[in-house]
Amino acid sequence: MGPNTEQTKLSHKEWRDLILTQLKGKGRSRYYSAICPICLISYDVDILGSDASARALAVEKIASHIKSAHSDTLT
């Protein structure tokens, strides 16, 4: 590791803006996958209603993960 091993600290909103979401699958088997920008864990959410609500839920799952698992990175 380099001399600066301190992790980047950002606000909850700034981390939220860095969450990557992808629409995956085809036809009735579509889902959103959201990826944590810190540890790269992903959460998949099936699209049962609208694409927008599934995407929002996927982002919220990762945002909640960041808040609990990476609280040391929040300002």
Side-chain angles (χ1 to χ4, degrees), residues 52-68:
S53 63
R55 182 185 183 283
L57 181 57
V59 168
E60 190 52 43
K61 283 183 168 258
I62 292 292
S64 178
H65 160 79
I66 290 171
K67 197 172 187 179
S68 62

Side-chain angles (χ1 to χ4, degrees), residues 21-33 45-59:
T21 58
Q22 294 178 311
L23 179 61
K24 295 184 174 183
K26 292 185 178 183
R28 297 179 69 93
S29 299
R30 294 182 310 156
Y31 62 95
Y32 266 100
S33 183
V45 174
D46 292 330
I47 298 174
L48 301 175
S50 72
D51 287 2
S53 63
R55 182 185 183 283
L57 181 57
V59 168

